[in-house]
Amino acid sequence: MRKRKRVINIICIVIVAVLILLSIIYINHQIHLKEETDLRLPLGQMVEVDGHNMSIYVEGSGDTTLVFMSGGGTCSPILDFKSLYSLLSDKVQIAVVEKFGYGFSDVVDKNRDIDSILEDTRSALAAAGLNAPYVLCPHSMSGLEALYWAQKYPEEVSAIIGLDMAVPEYYDSMNLNIPIMHIAGWAANIGVTRFIPGISDSDAIKYGTLSDAEKEIYRAIFYNRTSTVTMLNEVEQVKKNAQKVNSIGVPQLPMLLFISDGSGGTGFDKETWRKIPIEYISQIDEGEYIELNCPHYVHDYEYKTISENILAFLFE
């Protein structure tokens, strides 16, 4: 009886200790979030979409507008793409749309089927005063949205430039551990990530051309926009989205794919990662691809090479 009581007391002590620790972590997180408020002031403009605020950044001018579309879970798309678009905006107009749950946009618990995502993006561009046709520059998961856009509104898309973008076939065998992602979201929300050294240093910070001030902004956004409920809803829907895009067929338009070596979190080996998009683009009459020996966030590593090839693709 005494032994059982002692075990119960130990369990209670452990539970109380864990709760106290979590409370300290959460309070610390809230204090830092308040201190970082000024770092999270929007870099671009905020537009209203479906009753919520959505962030869009526009730079440069010209008759050609490149729309940069982030991969799943990229907390700061505006800064993530900066190393690349800063090399292009003296010749073309660029726009970075930050989906709900990303960057400076509102976190919204809403359906993330492919139609909802696309209509949000189109509405944001229109609200910012930008007009189609666009050259779409999707990274990773946004490749599905870009392909669907070209299928559904072909008059609005003049070309697609894929930055290691996803095509539907990737999701046939991709293993998505949704429960682990929800745990990661919970940990991020209470501030556990602040105690993991280096976790906020993205490829854009480590390998891109961001200034020290921009790196601090990126880190502040990371602690406020990691595994948001909107991002999780997107991941939960992605296989159905891929199936829908795949069922409509391959759009025929000028397309250039930059393909990485598959490292950097794709979950695929190099051969498989490259084989899938190469087979996909072989079905496109005006399709080209360039293989790069770098990880998945190609625009944070090979921005010079990519920018040169984008300009050649568009204007030569």
Side-chain angles (χ1 to χ4, degrees):
M1 193 68 174
R2 288 182 179 177
K3 186 177 180 180
R4 182 181 176 185
K5 187 175 181 180
R6 187 180 305 142
V7 170
I8 292 174
N9 287 338
I10 291 172
I11 292 174
C12 289
I13 291 170
V14 170
I15 291 173
V16 170
V18 169
L19 291 175
I20 291 173
L21 177 61
L22 291 176
S23 297
I24 293 171
I25 290 172
Y26 178 75
I27 292 169
N28 174 73
H29 183 46
Q30 294 304 309
I31 291 172
H32 278 87
L33 287 177
K34 187 173 182 180
E35 293 173 345
E36 294 161 354
T37 299
D38 288 345
L39 291 173
R40 297 197 305 273
L41 294 175
L43 293 174
Q45 58 182 300
M46 304 300 291
V47 297
E48 184 175 329
V49 175
D50 195 25
H52 302 281
N53 292 319
M54 203 164 175
S55 165
I56 181 168
Y57 178 82
V58 181
E59 183 175 299
S61 60
D63 297 329
T64 303
T65 301
L66 274 59
V67 178
F68 287 85
M69 307 158 69
S70 68
T74 301
C75 64
S76 180
I78 291 173
L79 293 176
D80 182 60
F81 287 121
K82 185 175 176 59
S83 297
L84 176 56
Y85 67 65
S86 62
L87 299 177
L88 298 168
S89 58
D90 61 335
K91 294 183 174 63
V92 298
Q93 180 172 245
I94 69 92
V96 183
V97 178
E98 296 192 313
K99 296 179 287 187
F100 287 128
Y102 291 71
F104 301 103
S105 295
D106 289 349
V107 175
V108 182
D109 189 357
K110 63 182 294 189
N111 195 313
R112 293 286 76 189
D113 64 89
I114 195 72
D115 285 280
S116 297
I117 296 173
L118 175 55
E119 295 311 318
D120 286 346
T121 301
R122 293 176 69 242
S123 296
L125 289 166
L130 302 181
N131 299 310
Y134 308 111
V135 175
L136 305 182
C137 301
H139 172 241
S140 198
M141 189 187 294
S142 282
L144 297 178
E145 182 185 353
L147 293 172
Y148 189 59
W149 198 338
Q151 293 164 334
K152 191 171 183 180
Y153 303 106
E155 72 283 357
E156 295 184 6
V157 183
S158 58
I160 293 177
I161 299 172
L163 303 171
D164 215 27
M165 78 176 200
V167 297
E169 287 75 10
Y170 277 129
Y171 295 95
D172 291 342
S173 58
M174 187 176 289
N175 181 28
L176 300 172
N177 196 324
I178 304 299
I180 292 295
M181 291 180 184
H182 278 281
I183 292 173
W186 173 81
N189 284 335
I190 68 168
V192 173
T193 49
R194 290 188 184 273
F195 294 89
I196 304 176
I199 193 173
S200 63
D201 286 354
S202 65
D203 287 351
I205 289 177
K206 291 186 287 187
Y207 305 107
T209 59
L210 298 181
S211 66
D212 289 342
E214 288 167 337
K215 290 177 182 179
E216 287 305 304
I217 293 171
Y218 199 116
R219 293 185 180 102
I221 297 170
F222 171 84
Y223 290 121
N224 196 45
R225 288 291 186 272
T226 295
S227 297
T228 64
V229 66
T230 328
M231 293 176 182
L232 295 174
N233 290 347
E234 192 176 67
V235 173
E236 289 178 349
Q237 193 74 27
V238 69
K239 289 207 172 193
K240 289 183 179 178
N241 289 340
Q243 291 168 2
K244 184 168 187 176
V245 174
N246 194 45
S247 68
I248 300 175
V250 179
Q252 291 296 328
L253 77 167
M255 191 178 301
L256 170 62
L257 300 186
F258 293 97
I259 305 172
S260 78
D261 60 16
S263 62
T266 67
F268 289 80
D269 62 80
K270 180 177 178 179
E271 182 181 356
T272 304
W273 183 256
R274 289 186 167 174
K275 178 182 177 182
I276 291 173
I278 290 173
E279 288 181 348
Y280 186 90
I281 205 165
S282 69
Q283 305 171 73
I284 298 170
D285 295 336
E286 297 181 80
E288 306 173 30
Y289 69 89
I290 296 173
E291 295 177 275
L292 300 171
N293 293 314
C294 68
H296 183 44
Y297 277 74
V298 292
H299 46 281
D300 292 325
Y301 292 86
E302 296 289 349
Y303 38 87
K304 291 182 180 179
T305 297
I306 293 172
S307 65
E308 291 167 359
N309 281 279
I310 286 177
L311 294 175
F313 175 72
L314 293 176
F315 302 118
E316 293 181 8

